């Protein structure tokens, strides 16, 4: 029975959206897969983030993966039998002053030169049409019209369920303790015994540095706890997701009227205890930013706040692609608080690389070698 | 006692911050202040007393016989607190707690008063947030006109008000009889008392009878029960309840051993025991266990009521239901433990002072087991059988939806259930749905509440507005810390 | 829904309005108690389905007593002492924005 399987073509370590997406796409290519997750799928960053499905404001090196992913998001129900609550009303980057707007102009021009057209500059008039409640002092911004948001835990678990339905073995509550070579295989040692596969994917999120270190490819991964707050239901006043260029803010109103406020202010993660501590003074700064930008929100009650456990790389870019040292090892971690949208596409690309040896989607600049070949 | 009128009057920090001005909090604050600690007692209500002694200093009810002697004894506890050197902030909501990064082992708590918030430091914290009614989800329980027995008591104590029309009281537990007696004495028109105590519980509780016979509850309880049964229409062995009406309550239907009845009424008061209020202790990171005897989640505490988070103690019903008098005694013990941890008292002296309090406490707790066993609600009142019964009042999620998600989507616990159905995501933070969601998942999956787990709660423990948060005074250190 | 019992201590009488209707209640009552003793059946409609709701627990746990007080919504009526001249309104569905921010 697949539940007891110990050997497979691929072992995926980590049940976030990246691990689950890779497991699904490998299963779709008829590779046998075992996914090993120490808690439950979507327990950490993938399940508790702001749910932004965003191409807007990405580093150029991520854009090809992001493009591949966005195509999947817009038909996500076909892929995983669940619409994941995905809505697409665009995402808008709001410029707070002329200097900001100039920066926006330069960015859009740069993207256009590179052949990317998903970001468009908008002026004050259009900004106020799309985001009527935004402060009058904002001179314009950038919009990515096909962007939107989804429900993170639901999406992650839908990927898991679909992978399982296609034959993937999902082992939750199993913690990897060591990874070592065993002939032509990799032996993944866990607290529930060992598993063997010729190919392994390190999608272990905030714990991926430990796997990488085991493999002799240490990386400077930082564990962070980005904080979020959500309000009680408010009358509908904003459709697209809003982010800022200068200050930390991401801002989204759901269909039920609640408003999610994020942006990356950091709490304190305790990754070995699955605990995060909130920093209310920093949340107060988020609140102040919303106060400035959306006066209409000033009396809104905040009913919940939380923070996930995420991995950040020093250059804010993920580690994605083949190992720099070993045959059959692949890395897919370090998404630095903006990996959710990339999940569907990254899993497809990773499965393609595993199955065929290559992918048409450019992933230059994302490899682990950039951290391990500096000596 | 120093009363606080505005949040600016609070000091930057205290030795001890006590949350909740019921018997446990009042006693803990008074004892700690008497031992020389600087103490702040913060409570969100306008006057001290918590729920059981609600409005004991402000009640407009003149006829003392209506509320009974036990209630009025609460005034002594308040009086002692008022004689102490503690500081008291009424109408002050404590909404967050976390470690103080500048003072290892100490805490920072977020407080709000009159629309302004501040972060206050405390070396030690005692949570005395008490108990809440066990949720009683029946079809129609969200109709205007359906309230808890506790609500009727609060209305009587604090406003001298009683339900004006035909009233039905339903459920089980000693409070049911107490309330029936109080309301009847106050002139309320009680159409019926519907007792849902499962008849099977009597034989289960037999084993605990010897202790009950030696406890103070026997005399009190019997008196209440007999008085209530003598004067009022009593229906025992009720196995089903439904509240019906259009836009407001019009009648209650009940089932009893195969027969059904309908009672027209304007108010339905529900009660099936009380359970610890765990939202604050849960959000503070304290470990909780599912206590099979009380059939409720209870924080794990030691002999000094210290929780699993060093520096946080939990006293009173919030650490396990024991009643008002036990709560006061627990508060004293928690204060002694706190004072000793802060070096105000050596351990020998601490133990010496605690000894007689522990003896008294043991006496008070004797006989509780009988009550726990006798009044454990029947399964159908813990996990409502009718799919259309609302389970999460805030988000209007039904029992059927929870069962379906547990079965079809394989949702194994309430935290995942939250993400799928939104139960627990409303302003009450799961206070009224948590226990029921756990029971439904456990029942559907053939497991137990203990194995199913509970919501993982976070601050804010009560909502705080964007305006309050945005205006939170910043320290220089925190402004610098944001730059990265 | 509720009525004061006979034989209560004397207290001042406070005037207030609910949805514009003038009412009075005892000084010392909370907003929720004042509404209940004035025969108010429902104080809010839920944001999910606009269903009428009234106070359920009177102790700050259920959040069913949410009302708009002097233009500010999402106030738990059971925790707010009634004051002279208060303008209380039904909280319709989703919370109102505050006067201060409009």
């Amino acid at each position: 029975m697949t539940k007891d399987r110990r050997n497979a073509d691929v072992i995926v370590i980590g049940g976030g959206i990246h691990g689950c997406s890779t497991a699904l796409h490998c299963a779709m290519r008829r590779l046998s897969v075992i996914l090993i997750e120490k808690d439950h799928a979507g327990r950490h960053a993938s399940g508790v983030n702001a749910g932004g499905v965003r191409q807007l404001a990405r580093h150029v090196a991520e854009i090809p993966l992001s493009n591949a992913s966005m195509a999947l998001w817009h038909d996500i129900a076909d892929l995983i039998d669940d619409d994941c609550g995905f809505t697409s009303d665009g995402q808008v980057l709001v410029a707070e002053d002329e200097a900001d707007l100039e920066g926006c102009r330069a960015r859009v021009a740069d993207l256009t030169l590179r052949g990317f057209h998903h970001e468009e500059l908008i002026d004050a008039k259009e900004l106020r049409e799309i985001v009527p409640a935004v402060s009058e002092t904002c001179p314009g911004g950038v919009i990515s019209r096909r962007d939107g948001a989804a429900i993170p835990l639901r999406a992650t678990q839908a990927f898991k369920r679909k992978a399982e339905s296609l034959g993937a073995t999902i082992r939750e509550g199993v913690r990897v303790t060591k990874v070592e070579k065993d002939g032509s295989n990799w032996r993944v040692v866990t607290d529930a015994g060992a598993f063997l596969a010729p190919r392994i994917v390190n999608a272990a999120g905030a714990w991926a540095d430990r796997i990488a270190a085991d493999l002799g490819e240490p990386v400077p991964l930082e564990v962070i706890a980005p904080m979020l707050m959500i309000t009680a239901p408010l009358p509908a006043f904003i459709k697209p997701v809003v982010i800022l260029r200068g200050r930390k803010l991401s801002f989204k109103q759901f269909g039920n009227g609640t408003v999610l406020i994020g942006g990356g202010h950091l709490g304190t993660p305790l990754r070995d205890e699955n605990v995060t501590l909130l920093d209310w003074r920093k949340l107060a700064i988020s609140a102040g930013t919303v106060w400035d930008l959306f006066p209409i929100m000033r009396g809104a009650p905040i009913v919940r706040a939380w923070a996930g456990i995420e991995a950040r790389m020093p250059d804010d870019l993920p580690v994605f692609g083949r190992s720099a040292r070993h045959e059959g090892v692949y890395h897919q971690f370090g998404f630095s608080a903006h990996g959710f949208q990339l999940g569907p596409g990254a899993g497809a690309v990773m499965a393609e690389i595993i199955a065929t040896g290559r992918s048409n989607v450019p992933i230059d600049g994302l490899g682990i070698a950039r951290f391990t070949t500096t000596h | 006692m120093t009363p606080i009128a505005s949040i600016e009057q609070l000091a930057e920090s205290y030795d001890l911050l006590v949350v909740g001005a019921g018997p446990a909090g009042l006693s803990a604050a008074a004892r700690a202040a008497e031992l020389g600690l600087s103490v702040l007692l913060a409570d969100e209500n306008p006057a001290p007393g918590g729920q059981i002694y609600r409005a004991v200093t402000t009640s407009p009810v003149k006829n003392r016989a209506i509320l009974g002697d036990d209630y009025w004894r609460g005034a002594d506890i308040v009086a002692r607190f008022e004689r102490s050197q503690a500081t008291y902030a009424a109408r002050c909501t404590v909404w967050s707690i976390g470690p103080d990064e500048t003072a290892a082992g100490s805490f920072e708590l977020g407080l709000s008063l009159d629309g302004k918030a501040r972060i206050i430091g405390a070396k030690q914290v005692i949570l005395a947030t008490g108990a809440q009614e066990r949720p009683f989800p029946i079809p129609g329980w969200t109709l205007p006109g359906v309230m808890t027995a506790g609500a009727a008591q609060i209305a009587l104590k604090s406003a001298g008000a009683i339900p004006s029309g035909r009233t039905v009281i339903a459920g089980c537990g000693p409070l049911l009889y107490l309330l029936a007696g109080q309301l009847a004495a106050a002139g309320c028109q009680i159409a019926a008392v519907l007792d849902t105590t499962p008849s099977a519980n009597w034989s289960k509780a037999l084993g605990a009878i010897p202790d009950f016979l030696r406890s103070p509850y026997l005399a009190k309880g019997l008196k209440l029960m007999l008085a209530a049964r003598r004067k009022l229409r009593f229906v025992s062995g009720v196995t089903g309840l439904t509240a019906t009406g259009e836009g407001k309550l019009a009648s209650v239907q009940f089932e009893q051993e195969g027969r059904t009845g309908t009672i027209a009424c304007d108010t339905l008061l529900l009660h099936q025991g009380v359970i610890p209020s765990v939202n604050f202790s849960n959000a503070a990171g304290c470990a909780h266990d599912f206590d099979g005897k009380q059939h409720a989640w209870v924080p794990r505490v030691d002999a000094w009521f210290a929780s699993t988070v060093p520096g946080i103690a939990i006293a009173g019903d919030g650490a396990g239901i024991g009643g008002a008098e036990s709560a006061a005694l627990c508060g004293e013990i928690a204060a002694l433990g706190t004072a000793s941890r802060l070096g105000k008292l050596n351990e020998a002296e601490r133990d010496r002072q605690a000894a007689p309090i522990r003896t008294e406490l043991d006496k008070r707790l004797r006989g509780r087991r009988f009550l726990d066993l006798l009044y454990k609600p029947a399964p159908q009142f813990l996990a409502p059988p009718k799919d259309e019964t609302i389970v999460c009042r805030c988000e209007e999620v039904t029992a059927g939806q929870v069962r379906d998600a547990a079965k079809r989507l394989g949702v194994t616990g309430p935290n995942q259930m939250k993400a799928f159905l939104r139960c627990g995501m409303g302003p009450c933070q799961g206070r009224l749905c948590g226990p029921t969601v756990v029971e439904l998942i456990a029942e559907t999956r053939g497991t137990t509440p203990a194995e199913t787990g509970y919501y993982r709660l976070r601050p804010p423990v009560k909502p705080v507005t964007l305006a309050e948060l945005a205006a939170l005074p910043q320290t220089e250190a925190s402004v610098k810390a944001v730059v990265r | 829904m509720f009525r004061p019992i006979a034989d209560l201590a004397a207290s001042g009488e406070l005037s207030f309005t609910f949805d514009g209707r003038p009412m009075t209640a005892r000084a010392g009552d909370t907003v929720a108690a004042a509404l209940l003793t004035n025969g108010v059946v429902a104080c809010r409609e839920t944001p999910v389905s606009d269903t009428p709701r009234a106070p359920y627990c009177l102790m700050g746990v259920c959040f069913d007593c949410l009302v708009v007080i002097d233009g500010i919504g999402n106030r738990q009526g059971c925790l707010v002492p009634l004051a002279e001249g208060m303008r209380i309104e039904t909280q319709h569905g989703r919370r109102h924005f505050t006067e201060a921010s409009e």
Side-chain angles (χ1 to χ4, degrees):
Chain A
M1 207 42 280
T2 51
K3 265 251 113 65
D4 306 315
R5 163 189 276 149
R6 290 276 158 181
N7 295 38
D9 295 326
V10 183
I11 291 174
V12 177
I13 302 172
I17 194 164
H18 283 273
C20 292
S21 174
T22 293
L24 169 63
H25 284 101
C26 285
M28 282 164 65
R29 287 174 177 273
R30 306 219 196 287
L31 293 167
S32 58
V33 187
I34 302 172
L35 184 147
I36 301 175
E37 159 57 50
K38 70 179 181 72
D39 295 299
H40 66 76
R43 168 69 177 84
H44 296 289
S46 289
V48 299
N49 60 72
V53 178
R54 172 176 67 82
Q55 293 211 258
L56 181 64
R58 283 201 180 265
H59 190 289
V60 159
E62 290 181 355
I63 294 181
L65 266 184
S66 179
N67 277 337
S69 219
M70 198 51 119
L72 294 176
W73 275 110
H74 278 272
D75 280 308
I76 199 76
D78 286 345
L79 180 64
I80 54 178
D81 303 335
D82 190 329
D83 69 39
C84 305
F86 175 59
T87 57
S88 174
D89 291 299
Q91 288 220 13
V92 175
L93 185 151
V94 172
E96 289 193 77
D97 54 34
E98 281 303 329
D100 258 3
L101 191 59
E102 191 44 52
C104 291
R105 237 174 244 123
R107 155 82 174 179
V108 174
D110 178 63
L111 286 187
T112 308
L113 277 178
R114 294 170 188 271
F116 299 127
H117 303 284
H118 55 276
E119 293 191 13
E120 299 167 42
L121 199 68
I122 54 178
D123 60 14
K125 180 166 170 296
E126 188 172 4
L127 177 64
R128 233 156 306 288
E129 272 162 32
I130 298 171
V131 192
V134 80
S135 163
E136 303 248 311
T137 56
C138 297
V142 180
I143 186 169
S144 178
R145 295 187 199 273
R146 293 193 77 214
D147 288 3
I151 299 171
L153 182 65
R154 198 167 132 190
T156 307
Q157 296 203 343
F159 270 95
K160 176 201 88 168
R161 276 197 311 277
K162 185 73 185 194
E164 206 165 24
S165 76
L166 294 182
T169 298
I170 310 287
R171 297 297 303 267
E172 292 172 298
V174 175
R175 174 186 294 267
V176 171
T177 52
K178 197 159 45 142
V179 178
E180 55 196 10
K181 202 90 176 71
D182 181 350
S184 58
N185 279 324
W186 290 97
R187 171 187 294 270
V188 178
V189 184
T190 76
D191 56 8
F195 299 81
L196 279 177
R199 296 194 186 83
I200 58 173
V201 180
N202 175 15
W207 296 263
D209 55 336
R210 293 179 174 160
I211 310 287
D214 255 10
L215 294 161
E217 300 184 278
V219 288
L221 179 152
E222 185 193 0
V223 182
I224 59 170
M227 301 186 291
L228 291 167
M229 302 188 275
I230 195 155
T231 68
L234 303 174
F237 72 97
I238 186 166
K239 290 206 104 183
V241 177
V242 167
I243 64 177
L244 290 185
R245 191 168 175 281
R247 294 194 273 176
K248 293 183 203 272
L249 180 75
S250 93
F251 190 81
K252 160 158 188 69
Q253 183 169 35
F254 290 99
N256 63 15
T258 58
V259 177
L260 181 63
I261 302 166
H265 281 296
L266 302 179
T268 302
L270 301 172
R271 70 169 162 170
D272 289 322
E273 295 167 53
N274 280 357
V275 162
T276 57
L277 304 172
L278 298 170
D279 182 330
W280 284 94
R281 291 195 180 84
K282 286 196 201 152
L283 286 172
I285 293 175
S286 278
T289 307
V290 175
W291 173 287
D292 288 338
L293 224 68
F294 293 100
I296 204 169
M297 287 275 299
R298 287 175 179 177
I302 310 247
V303 299
R304 212 159 60 256
W306 67 96
I309 302 179
E310 167 66 301
R312 177 162 77 180
M313 307 312 295
D315 52 10
D316 265 329
L317 286 173
V319 177
F320 187 86
R322 282 194 174 73
S323 157
R325 291 196 63 178
H326 307 290
E327 195 61 45
V329 175
Y330 305 83
H331 295 288
Q332 185 175 1
F333 66 86
F335 288 88
S336 307
H338 51 259
F340 180 65
Q341 187 267 345
L342 299 175
V349 171
M350 182 59 75
E352 190 186 6
I353 294 173
I354 290 173
T356 70
R358 56 180 308 281
S359 169
N360 279 330
V361 176
I363 52 170
D364 317 317
L366 302 181
I368 197 169
R370 73 189 195 269
F371 294 118
T372 58
T373 56
T374 49
H375 39 262
Chain B
M1 180 269 285
T2 309
I4 292 289
S6 79
I7 206 158
E8 290 84 5
Q9 292 172 351
L10 291 176
E12 290 287 332
S13 72
Y14 295 84
D15 287 333
L16 170 64
L17 203 158
V18 180
V19 183
L26 288 165
S27 304
R31 170 71 71 144
E34 287 157 14
L35 291 168
L37 275 64
S38 65
V39 181
L40 170 64
L41 174 61
D43 183 85
E44 64 182 358
N45 294 292
Q51 305 314 324
I52 192 72
Y53 299 130
R54 166 74 72 133
V56 74
T57 57
T58 59
S59 179
V61 176
K62 277 171 34 185
N63 179 355
R64 293 174 73 97
I66 292 177
L67 291 170
D69 289 334
D70 280 346
Y71 168 74
W72 294 107
R73 261 195 275 278
D76 298 334
I77 300 182
V78 176
R80 175 196 174 194
F81 169 72
E82 286 175 344
R83 284 193 299 271
S84 78
Q85 297 295 311
T87 301
Y88 170 51
R91 297 188 306 109
C92 180
T93 302
V94 184
W95 44 268
S96 81
I97 182 169
D100 180 346
E101 313 217 315
T102 66
S106 295
F107 301 91
E108 290 196 314
L109 297 95
L111 277 64
S112 283
L113 201 165
D114 276 339
K116 297 218 196 88
R118 267 183 77 184
I119 294 186
I120 302 294
K123 292 194 187 124
Q124 299 270 309
V125 174
I126 293 179
L127 300 177
T129 55
Q132 58 165 77
E133 298 256 358
R134 183 191 300 278
F136 203 149
I138 61 169
W141 70 311
T142 52
L143 282 168
V146 181
M147 300 173 78
T148 61
Q153 278 209 316
I154 288 166
L156 177 57
K157 289 168 181 171
S158 60
I162 56 173
S164 48
R166 287 169 57 83
T167 302
V168 171
I169 305 176
C172 64
L175 186 67
L176 205 74
Y177 307 117
L178 174 64
L179 177 70
Q182 288 173 333
L183 287 181
C188 180
Q189 187 194 354
I190 298 176
V193 178
L194 305 176
D195 192 329
T196 59
T197 307
S199 32
N201 283 5
W202 281 96
S203 53
K204 291 188 193 138
L206 265 177
I209 279 194
D211 266 351
F212 180 68
L213 292 176
R214 288 155 58 213
S215 81
Y217 295 112
L218 175 63
K220 255 185 246 182
L222 274 182
K223 210 167 90 173
L224 286 173
M225 214 166 73
L226 291 171
R229 295 185 89 118
R230 209 176 12 235
K231 294 191 241 171
L232 306 167
R233 175 187 172 193
F234 228 83
V235 181
S236 303
V238 170
T239 53
L241 287 167
T242 301
T244 53
E246 291 297 317
K248 67 173 176 171
L249 177 72
S251 65
V252 178
Q253 280 151 30
F254 65 91
E255 282 152 45
Q256 179 213 30
E257 287 154 16
R259 77 171 184 102
T260 60
T262 304
I263 305 174
C265 57
D266 307 293
T267 305
L268 170 63
L269 301 173
L270 297 173
H271 176 79
Q272 53 178 2
V274 293
I275 56 176
S277 282
V278 298
N279 278 41
F280 210 118
S281 48
N282 184 321
C286 304
H288 292 69
D289 300 303
F290 189 80
D291 183 316
K293 293 194 283 263
Q294 302 200 350
H295 202 83
W297 292 94
V298 174
R300 203 179 298 158
V301 295
D302 71 8
W304 299 98
F305 299 102
S307 73
T308 54
V309 175
I312 300 179
I314 307 173
D317 273 3
I321 303 303
E325 283 144 30
S326 307
L329 300 168
C330 294
E332 305 258 10
I333 294 172
L336 287 170
T338 300
S340 156
R341 279 191 292 278
L342 288 177
K344 294 286 189 186
L345 200 57
N346 67 43
E347 287 187 358
E349 182 55 23
R350 172 199 67 176
D351 294 350
R352 192 192 65 77
Q353 290 192 28
I357 304 174
R358 291 193 189 281
T359 307
E360 192 55 36
L361 183 59
D362 284 342
K363 249 198 285 190
R364 299 276 154 205
L365 291 177
R366 211 180 291 149
R368 295 260 11 146
R369 180 158 169 70
F370 173 76
L371 294 173
D372 290 339
L373 287 167
L374 180 62
Y375 294 120
K376 179 177 164 187
Q380 68 270 26
F381 292 121
L382 294 173
K386 297 211 179 97
D387 279 346
E388 72 272 15
T389 312
I390 287 181
V391 162
C392 168
R393 294 172 63 109
C394 297
E395 297 292 327
E396 302 181 54
V397 180
T398 65
Q401 285 174 290
V402 176
R403 285 198 173 95
D404 174 65
K407 195 170 7 208
R408 200 169 47 81
L409 298 175
V411 175
T412 54
N415 292 295
Q416 294 183 52
M417 192 61 75
K418 254 199 310 211
F420 285 91
L421 295 179
R422 293 195 54 80
C423 48
M425 285 190 170
C428 96
Q429 280 206 344
R431 287 171 175 86
L432 287 184
C433 70
T436 313
V437 170
V438 171
E439 297 281 345
L440 285 167
I441 294 174
E443 176 200 84
T444 306
R445 298 182 61 81
T447 175
T448 65
E451 282 164 348
T452 302
Y454 195 67
Y455 291 133
R456 210 170 28 241
L457 297 170
R458 313 294 311 255
V461 178
K462 280 282 181 100
V464 56
T465 66
L466 194 89
E468 286 172 303
L469 204 49
L472 200 64
Q474 294 285 349
T475 63
E476 213 184 282
S478 65
V479 170
K480 289 197 186 121
V482 165
V483 174
R484 53 187 303 270
Chain C
M1 280 215 40
F2 274 68
R3 61 174 174 84
I5 62 174
D7 195 26
L8 291 179
S11 96
E13 192 184 69
L14 300 175
S15 301
F16 66 99
T17 63
F18 178 66
D19 285 347
R21 286 145 46 201
M23 294 179 177
T24 62
R26 295 174 51 87
D29 284 356
T30 60
V31 164
L35 294 179
L36 288 171
T37 55
N38 274 276
V40 171
V41 170
C43 63
R44 77 177 186 113
E45 287 142 12
T46 63
V48 174
S49 67
D50 291 318
T51 305
R53 292 282 182 92
Y56 176 75
C57 77
L58 287 185
M59 56 180 270
V61 164
C62 73
F63 287 80
D64 261 319
C65 63
L66 298 178
V67 283
V68 182
I69 301 178
D70 293 335
I72 300 180
N74 262 90
R75 307 291 307 276
Q76 287 180 282
C78 69
L79 293 176
V80 178
L82 184 70
E84 175 67 29
M86 257 182 178
R87 235 174 53 242
I88 302 168
E89 297 164 277
T90 298
Q91 176 145 320
H92 293 291
R94 299 166 184 195
R95 187 192 168 279
H96 291 186
F97 289 117
T98 71
E99 280 184 344
S101 56
E102 277 161 4

